Amino acid sequence: MNAEIIAIGSELLLGATVDTNSTYLARQLAAAGINLFRKAVVGDNTERIAAMVREALERVDLVICTGGLGPTVDDVTREGVALALGRELEFYEELLEQIAARFAAMNRTMSPSNRQQAYLPAGARAIENPRGTAPAFLVEDVRGTVIVLPGVPHEMRYLFEHAVVSYLRNERGITSVILVKTLHAVGLGESVIGEMVADLMQAENPTLGISAKQAHYELRIGARANSYAEAEGLVAQVEATIRERLGNNLIGAEALAERVVRMLTERNLTLTIYEGTLMAPIYRALSATPNGLDHVRGVLIHPLDRPTDEHGAASLALAGAISAADRWRSDLGLAVQASSTSDERGFTAVSVALCTSTGVHQVTRSYDLNQPEGWEFVGTLALDLLREYMMSDTNAASI
């Protein structure tokens, strides 16, 4: 089965409300083994809703809509779906009774406008909504099935899990599953990684996709099978191949900062950080990670002495890493220092230094620090240097 999601509501187009419903539904459809072709957003307009539903039914056999089932004049999803399917709206007395009972249970008086919620496209199957006053419904058509759910997230999720899933499994015979596993990689560009796994990206099952996320890369493996165990086996085969090709550049299922924190814990190492900038990329990355500061003994942020060139940045980073580790008597000192000048491209030299019990490790790169993600690349560079050291020195322990 192939599906599309249509989120309905002008507030979504205006940016006043974030569309979390589509994200939730996408994950649920994947778990049910249903291919999701598209996600779309449309405002509260009958003709536009109808046009979008028609177009979707030309491509897929399942359309899931959310939103626009309220009692106000701009809630026109029922009208839009009816128009798309060429059906009249019909009044469902039992729905009005359910809505009235819901209001009575809440000790509230039902407004006359709520009556419009009892109208559905002819032949539609009502889905009772015990979590709200807006009934959901589904319509089976020769072109496919349209399922319409409320836009209120907790109502939509309840109805999907308690009504839609059983319909898809019991009446539409959906038995397969899709398993998705995300791996993280650093140290290589997206194009380089793409070339290394190009053949895997061309396979139909399992599938492989790559995306850049905050200065590192995500590799998403998706496998469709008749059981979770079978899907897990397909994913494992692709993961093993990726690990063999990317080597130490592949972190795994953890994000970089999570992996670094776990390695510090496993090796019982303490860390001190020297940041030559108020942006503090190392501290920001670790503080945003659960238990990220547990092994950090101190953080020194000193943005005043910014050297003019790459050599000065390297020297100051080296001195900062050594002095920071010595000051707090930590096992490791990690420092970041940028120069004060940029080259003709607008790139600034940044040096990262790591002081350890066995010596000093250092790397210098250039980034566009005027871009928001520039400092994220710096933080990734620093944490990856730390990760690589802990991987190479598997016997690393407290000094």
Side-chain angles (χ1 to χ4, degrees):
M1 179 176 287
N2 301 319
E4 291 195 15
I5 297 170
I6 302 175
I8 300 169
S10 297
E11 69 278 7
L12 301 175
L13 294 177
L14 295 171
T17 301
V18 177
D19 176 24
T20 59
N21 287 346
S22 293
T23 301
Y24 167 84
L25 289 171
R27 291 171 180 164
Q28 298 304 311
L29 292 174
I34 297 174
N35 295 315
L36 179 62
F37 276 16
R38 296 190 187 186
K39 294 191 294 184
V41 179
V42 64
D44 299 303
N45 181 280
T46 303
E47 287 73 21
R48 292 173 194 155
I49 294 171
M52 193 161 286
V53 171
R54 286 194 206 100
E55 292 170 9
L57 287 172
E58 292 176 358
R59 294 183 291 263
V60 300
D61 44 15
L62 175 65
V63 179
I64 300 181
C65 304
T66 66
L69 295 179
T72 60
V73 293
D74 62 342
D75 290 310
V76 293
T77 298
R78 288 174 290 267
E79 291 83 347
V81 172
L83 180 61
L85 300 177
R87 306 190 183 199
E88 298 293 328
L89 284 177
E90 290 185 351
F91 178 71
Y92 286 62
E93 182 66 38
E94 64 274 20
L95 280 187
L96 186 62
E97 293 174 358
Q98 292 173 10
I99 297 169
R102 180 71 178 166
F103 274 96
M106 297 185 293
N107 293 318
R108 292 170 52 192
T109 301
M110 186 178 72
S111 170
S113 63
N114 289 102
R115 183 180 176 85
Q116 79 175 49
Q117 293 177 292
Y119 283 88
L120 299 179
R125 184 189 309 183
I127 302 175
E128 185 176 357
N129 180 6
R131 296 298 176 89
T133 63
F137 65 92
L138 67 86
V139 186
E140 293 180 333
D141 189 78
V142 293
R143 291 167 290 177
T145 300
V146 180
I147 299 177
V148 183
L149 302 174
V152 179
H154 75 89
E155 295 180 27
M156 182 275 301
R157 293 176 184 178
Y158 179 88
L159 293 179
F160 185 89
E161 293 167 9
H162 290 81
V164 176
V165 170
S166 60
Y167 165 78
L168 294 173
R169 293 197 179 278
N170 298 333
E171 299 189 42
R172 299 302 299 271
I174 299 301
T175 59
S176 63
V177 298
I178 294 179
L179 177 63
V180 178
K181 184 171 185 179
T182 300
L183 304 175
H184 300 263
V186 293
L188 298 171
E190 184 175 9
S191 59
V192 175
I193 297 175
E195 292 170 359
M196 297 174 72
V197 297
D199 58 324
L200 301 178
M201 296 178 68
Q202 295 174 357
E204 293 185 0
N205 187 36
T207 61
L208 176 64
I210 303 175
S211 59
K213 293 291 180 69
Q214 296 183 339
H216 67 276
Y217 301 95
E218 291 184 354
L219 293 89
R220 296 177 310 281
I221 309 170
R224 182 186 296 103
N226 292 322
S227 68
Y228 183 87
E230 184 182 349
E232 209 170 27
L234 292 173
V235 168
Q237 293 176 14
V238 176
E239 181 178 351
T241 303
I242 294 174
R243 288 186 179 278
E244 180 181 352
R245 296 181 185 181
L246 268 62
N248 289 343
N249 293 109
L250 185 71
I251 302 171
E254 298 169 299
L256 176 59
E258 294 172 339
R259 180 63 180 273
V260 166
V261 170
R262 182 168 65 83
M263 295 176 79
L264 288 171
T265 302
E266 291 173 348
R267 291 160 174 74
N268 193 28
L269 294 169
T270 56
L271 174 68
T272 301
I273 302 169
Y274 173 92
E275 308 261 23
T277 168
L278 289 174
M279 298 302 295
I282 304 173
Y283 174 76
R284 287 177 184 269
L286 290 178
S287 62
T289 303
N291 306 313
L293 299 178
D294 286 358
H295 292 266
V296 177
R297 285 194 172 176
V299 180
L300 177 61
I301 299 177
H302 195 268
L304 300 180
D305 296 331
R306 195 166 172 181
T308 58
D309 56 22
E310 177 180 325
H311 298 293
S315 298
L316 195 52
L318 181 60
I322 296 173
S323 63
D326 182 65
R327 178 175 178 176
W328 275 282
R329 298 184 180 277
S330 62
D331 302 315
L332 304 168
L334 185 61
V336 164
Q337 183 63 60
S339 66
S340 61
T341 57
S342 303
D343 60 21
E344 63 279 2
R345 303 170 300 165
F347 281 49
T348 301
V350 180
S351 186
V352 173
L354 175 65
C355 173
T356 75
S357 60
T358 58
V360 176
H361 309 264
Q362 192 161 19
V363 61
T364 300
R365 297 284 187 272
S366 294
Y367 301 105
D368 184 356
L369 299 182
N370 292 316
Q371 299 298 321
E373 66 272 15
W375 287 108
E376 293 176 358
F377 278 95
V378 174
T380 295
L381 180 67
L383 292 179
D384 196 39
L385 180 64
L386 177 56
R387 179 185 72 96
E388 288 182 346
Y389 162 71
M390 290 189 289
M391 287 182 63
S392 63
D393 188 0
T394 55
N395 297 315
S398 299
I399 296 173

